[in-house]
Amino acid sequence: MKKVGCYIHIPFCEKKCYYCDFAAFEGLENWIDTYIDNLIKEIRLYRENMDLAIDTIYIGGGTPSYINPSYIEKIIGEVREFDTDIKEFSLECNPNSIDEAKLQAYKDLGVTRISLGVQSFDDKVLRNIGRNHNKEIAIRDIKLIKSFGFDLSFDLMLNLPGQDFDSVKKDLEMVKILSPDHISWYSLILDKGSRFYALDKKGELDLMEDDLEVDIFSYLVDELEKLGLKRYEISNFARSGKESIHNKKYWNIDDYIAFGIGASGFLSNKRYNNTRNFVKYDKALREGKYPIVFEEFIDKDEREKEYIIFKLRECEGINLAEFREKFACDFLVKYKGVIEKFKDQDFYKIDENFYFTKKGMSLSNEFYIEII
């Protein structure tokens, strides 16, 4: 039986951040009961029609910790009707949305890993991006999560309005003090539809110069490694053995099933996206239909290119023997022209794997463009 990851989307938030273009909504508490009922229907629909085993669960959002844990319990009870052998169960939380009772409920449900959306420990920066917590609340909640024995990951962001090198260094000091198992440190992306995207178009967003951002991130990579947080993917750092098992499925082009509005899944070489509209989601499930609005079959050539791009996001890169087994060709031969173009530029290394150097990671898009 095929083992897949499982992503579940909870779209509700107390407050939507200015950079966010996810399927996340504030002020829709009256939809929660209906949404959870429909989510259960969607899970059942897949279970009745597909023979799958689930080995990772990731509940994201939105803010999953915003809703009552009884809803999470109901969802997970339905997921466990699949054949399950859960190696990792992650739940996204935001500071100011958890307490001891919620964390105990998550522990009882089998959650192993909490991913906390900190973004910054600078109160000014947090206000600039529309977060509803401050440094003190984030520290309090991190300590609370650790007291329950969860694997702790938290997100931090770079190139935020009002953020400078000193602010980032202070964030790094807090990482040192709080000692998480895993960190995702992302650069701000201006997604169309977000408040920040509109402000940037008007020239009203104060962001870093590109070269400064690259220099700061290079500094972070070195300093995090000194703290035992080794880079294993472009934006992800972990202590040994604490890498995200679920997220690796995305980078390995492994199958994963996805439930909820705006969720995206990948099954049997077919990628699909659910509607982001509550009314359309409700209508589809009431009619016993999948709430899918887009799907495409990923052929061998496209799968090969996606595999290259995703694997090169990881520090270990492409295992050459594995590539040959998957795609019946030699990576170094087929892509010799692209590889030669970047020769002697300290861009990559080759042993049993082909992988980017630190410089190559920073300039990876140049390589991807040639591959595509």
Side-chain angles (χ1 to χ4, degrees):
M1 187 181 295
K2 182 182 290 187
K3 291 187 177 182
V4 304
C6 173
Y7 175 80
I8 301 162
H9 192 73
I10 305 298
F12 305 100
C13 285
E14 182 177 355
K15 183 181 181 184
K16 186 162 182 173
C17 303
Y18 302 154
Y19 55 81
C20 180
D21 188 39
F22 298 141
F25 307 91
E26 60 179 275
L28 291 181
E29 286 75 13
N30 60 320
W31 270 96
I32 294 177
D33 283 327
T34 300
Y35 180 76
I36 299 301
D37 287 343
N38 283 327
L39 196 53
I40 298 299
K41 291 177 185 176
E42 185 185 5
I43 295 168
R44 285 178 183 166
L45 190 60
Y46 276 90
R47 195 177 69 246
E48 290 165 1
N49 291 284
M50 292 187 181
D51 191 20
L52 299 172
I54 291 172
D55 62 357
T56 64
I57 299 172
Y58 192 106
I59 302 181
T63 309
S65 53
Y66 179 60
I67 66 174
N68 193 295
S70 62
Y71 291 118
I72 305 294
E73 182 179 6
K74 189 175 180 182
I75 294 163
I76 294 307
E78 199 64 42
V79 169
R80 289 189 183 276
E81 291 297 317
F82 282 92
D83 185 5
T84 57
D85 178 21
I86 307 303
K87 295 180 175 63
E88 178 185 85
F89 181 174
S90 298
L91 181 82
E92 287 184 357
C93 299
N94 274 335
N96 219 18
S97 69
I98 57 172
D99 54 32
E100 287 190 7
K102 284 185 177 180
L103 291 174
Q104 185 60 59
Y106 301 152
K107 197 76 176 176
D108 293 343
L109 286 172
V111 173
T112 61
R113 182 175 179 273
I114 297 288
S115 179
L116 192 71
V118 175
Q119 317 313 0
S120 174
F121 289 99
D122 185 321
D123 287 347
K124 177 185 174 183
V125 172
L126 289 169
R127 288 192 298 271
N128 287 347
I129 63 176
R131 300 295 282 179
N132 64 347
H133 74 272
N134 57 26
K135 174 183 177 180
E136 182 180 347
I137 291 170
I139 293 170
R140 178 200 70 193
D141 288 351
I142 286 168
K143 290 179 178 178
L144 188 59
I145 291 166
K146 294 187 77 170
S147 74
F148 275 82
F150 293 103
D151 287 344
L152 170 66
S153 174
F154 55 76
D155 291 355
L156 290 169
M157 295 181 70
L158 185 62
N159 195 21
L160 297 172
Q163 191 180 51
D164 57 20
F165 206 163
D166 285 341
S167 175
V168 175
K169 286 180 178 178
K170 289 175 183 176
D171 285 346
L172 187 63
E173 280 302 306
M174 291 311 305
V175 171
K176 184 176 182 178
I177 293 167
L178 295 167
S179 190
D181 302 297
H182 184 285
I183 282 190
S184 298
W185 209 319
Y186 300 102
S187 288
L188 173 67
I189 296 175
L190 297 172
D191 288 316
K192 191 172 184 179
S194 68
R195 178 171 176 174
F196 276 175
Y197 180 87
L199 288 173
D200 187 61
K201 287 296 181 185
K202 296 177 183 177
E204 298 176 6
L205 209 57
D206 177 26
L207 302 178
M208 296 175 182
E209 295 293 329
D210 290 347
D211 287 347
L212 175 59
E213 183 182 0
V214 169
D215 289 344
I216 291 176
F217 196 77
S218 178
Y219 168 81
L220 288 174
V221 172
D222 292 339
E223 293 301 310
L224 288 170
E225 183 150 6
K226 293 176 187 176
L227 300 178
L229 290 160
K230 187 176 180 181
R231 188 186 200 182
Y232 72 101
E233 192 268 347
I234 283 182
S235 302
N236 286 276
F237 307 80
R239 300 192 188 283
S240 179
K242 298 297 183 180
E243 299 86 355
S244 171
I245 299 171
H246 181 84
N247 286 347
K248 280 191 168 187
K249 288 183 179 290
Y250 303 149
W251 307 325
N252 289 333
I253 319 293
D254 292 335
D255 282 18
Y256 56 95
I257 196 167
F259 305 115
I261 69 166
S264 300
F266 182 71
L267 293 170
S268 301
N269 297 323
K270 186 179 287 186
R271 181 170 291 113
Y272 67 90
N273 298 96
N274 281 351
T275 178
R276 292 168 65 110
N277 183 290
F278 278 96
V279 175
K280 291 180 179 178
Y281 184 75
D282 179 63
K283 183 175 185 294
L285 272 307
R286 284 179 185 276
E287 295 174 355
K289 298 176 181 177
Y290 295 107
I292 294 171
V293 291
F294 173 80
E295 57 184 342
E296 63 175 340
F297 179 78
I298 308 300
D299 64 23
K300 181 178 178 293
D301 287 342
E302 188 172 353
R303 199 161 65 248
E304 181 179 313
K305 286 181 169 55
E306 287 192 359
Y307 181 84
I308 292 169
I309 291 169
F310 279 118
K311 289 302 290 182
L312 287 177
R313 288 182 61 92
E314 297 183 273
C315 290
E316 65 183 19
I318 297 166
N319 181 274
L320 299 174
E322 184 178 283
F323 185 90
R324 192 179 303 112
E325 183 179 339
K326 276 181 175 287
F327 301 106
C329 63
D330 189 316
F331 175 78
L332 299 180
V333 173
K334 184 169 182 177
Y335 295 97
K336 182 179 179 181
V338 180
I339 293 168
E340 286 290 324
K341 185 170 182 178
F342 293 90
K343 188 177 180 181
D344 300 324
Q345 296 183 39
D346 188 30
F347 211 89
Y348 58 80
K349 292 185 179 180
I350 304 173
D351 42 46
E352 67 271 17
N353 288 13
F354 176 94
Y355 54 99
F356 285 146
T357 60
K358 186 178 176 184
K359 177 183 176 181
M361 281 282 194
S362 297
L363 301 173
S364 56
N365 283 343
E366 295 182 18
F367 190 89
Y368 297 152
I369 288 168
E370 297 293 331
I371 292 288
I372 293 169

